[in-house]
Amino acid sequence: MRLPPICSLGLGVPAVLATQKVLGVGGKGNPLDDDFNKFAIDALGEFHVTGIAIAVVDGMESWAAGYGNATLPSSQNGDPIPVTPSTLFYCGSTTKAFTAATLSLMIDSGIYPSLSWQTPISTLIRDDFVLMDPYTWEQNHLTLEDALSHRTGFPRHDKSLGTFYGPDHHKATVRDLTRSLRWLPMVSEPRTKWRYCNLMFMVVSHAMQTLTGQWLGTTFRERIWAPLGMNSTYLSLEDALAGPEHLAGGYYWDYDAEVFETVSFSGLDEASGAGGVVSNVLDYTKWIRCLLNEATPLSKAGHEAIKTPRMAMSGNGKGYDSPMLYALAWQTSTYKGHRVYTHSGGMEAYGAEVYFLPDLGYGVVTLGNTALTSNYVGNILVWKLINDKLGIPESDRFDWAATAKQQLEDIVSSIDNAVERLYPDRADPPLPHLLALEAYTGTYFHPAYQNLTINLANGSETDIHRHNTKPRLRAVREDVVWQNTFDFEHVSGEFWVVFINMLKVPNGLNEEAAKAEFRVGATGRPEQLMIEFMEEGSEGVIEFEKIN
Ligand SMILES: *[C@@H]1O[C@H](CO)[C@@H](O)[C@H](O)[C@H]1NC(C)=O
Ligand SMILES: *[C@@H]1O[C@H](CO)[C@@H](O)[C@H](O)[C@H]1NC(C)=O
Ligand SMILES: *[C@@H]1O[C@H](CO)[C@@H](O)[C@H](O)[C@H]1NC(C)=O
Ligand SMILES: *[C@@H]1O[C@H](CO)[C@@H](O)[C@H](O)[C@H]1NC(C)=O
């Protein structure tokens, strides 16, 4: 088998480390050796990942390598550009750890009177942090710590995040996103359930920008990136493109045509402190070292705060020996008795995995450029390294590759069963819909989710994923952070299933299904559309009004 270009280098030890306490022992040679390189290339092929970069920190030493392609040949450029350790990738939700860490430094600084993890968000951004009527207690009491540990009671509402707001159709700011909270239902009591919510990190980003009076990217650089020498780390697409490093293209695998398709670069302004970082594995080793060594610029109290679990996540972490807990932007559990901190990130066509094990002085980061599956490959590579490091026999290792394959199958089968799952008691035979299909078309509006413009599907659309049915009604949503398509399949009467796909990554790996009901008024026309989004469980019922 022809091996693609591989770039591997030893990073050396920055001089500043000489004064820092270094835990753990030095590595016994480069773990990214020939066997590992072959293992990585095989994993890329098996899971259809274009490219991945990896770096390992082991005590005083670190290594990095790039596998596969950062950019595939195109009409403008005939040659693939290989991944190297300096290749830039979108880092997705691994951004969140910088938000929490930077906030720890703002708390420590004493510049902001009485700022603490327990500060109610509404005291910082009173006019903007307004919740729906029934949630007055939550409005007054939800704290920064609640937002950073995903325990506010808000579901994701990711599909509500717009890129334009208001009658003047201005470009979205994190303030606009924060102000949309007042239209969004909560799904649980605060502090009772762990429920991942990007929007709350955008809210905290807005609070931080309000306190500092400057863009979050500047604060990240001043407080963390500059002190750590992370000069290849950015919080905006424009800055990343202007930097000297190559930004990897984004790709998804088309399972039908069996080719990689290109995904255009997404803007990062709205993702902000929830997912806006672009960086490389070399810079992430500096960050991992800081975390492992409890080093500056964070204080000891800051390191402790971000690592202290606040919520139990649902169930035991797969492959771990104790329950998975969530601290401030870090998940934590134990593996063979060793504490593990980790966070993953995903941005349309990119996947990041960061791990550090303080008592081993050991950490690994992977950054890849293929939707979802680069997270699978990242985990497979990371866990091989951790198991090798610990000398765990093959028979005692959790099978991450088998788990990843199972997850891919589960995604497909859950979509195949969507009608049965969402409507187990539906009429059989189904009732017809009340009105002609054309009558349901038009624009439906919700103040947070904004416009949903439904058209007749004209038959040129692809089949609903693996269904052999054509969608009948379709909405294409381009003015949202994660652009998507809504395909409506009729169930019975006024009840439908909406299949939601990423517009830019339509291969079904992120597909989800929601329940929808049209309300026909006394006018004989549809007046409302109720949609219950179901990402990670019900996100509450969203009521859209038909506006034309
Ligand atoms: C990188 O791209 C080239 C050209 O498309 C291809 O031949 C090669 O197999 C790719 N490498 C990997 C690891 O996929
Ligand atoms: C990062 O940039 C600053 C300012 O240009 C420079 O002083 C520093 O040496 C750079 N650090 C690294 C690790 O390149
Ligand atoms: C929503 O649709 C209405 C009616 O078509 C239009 O007037 C309005 O500008 C749209 N709003 C946004 C934010 O696109
Ligand atoms: C069919 O509808 C899609 C949008 O759903 C549109 O992009 C396409 O141009 C339409 N094709 C025809 C032939 O009308």
Side-chain angles (χ1 to χ4, degrees), residues 285-347:
T285 60
K286 299 169 186 171
W287 174 224
I288 289 173
R289 274 226 169 79
C290 164
L291 294 161
L292 283 173
N293 301 338
E294 299 203 339
T296 55
L298 271 67
S299 67
K300 291 286 170 207
H303 279 288
E304 188 181 330
I306 62 173
K307 290 199 287 194
T308 302
R310 305 301 202 285
M311 275 310 270
M313 294 167 62
S314 46
N316 242 25
K318 279 203 186 92
Y320 290 87
D321 31 62
S322 62
M324 186 59 87
L325 310 173
Y326 202 88
L328 300 183
W330 290 106
Q331 288 180 225
T332 181
S333 183
T334 54
Y335 182 67
K336 313 286 184 197
H338 300 283
R339 181 140 301 277
V340 180
Y341 291 91
T342 178
H343 211 283
S344 61
M347 275 294 279

Side-chain angles (χ1 to χ4, degrees), residues 116-138:
S116 80
W117 298 111
Q118 287 77 40
T119 298
I121 301 167
S122 63
T123 64
L124 303 174
I125 42 173
R126 186 174 294 285
D127 293 345
D128 297 329
F129 192 77
V130 175
L131 307 185
M132 272 172 125
D133 258 353
Y135 312 133
T136 313
W137 188 92
E138 290 81 351

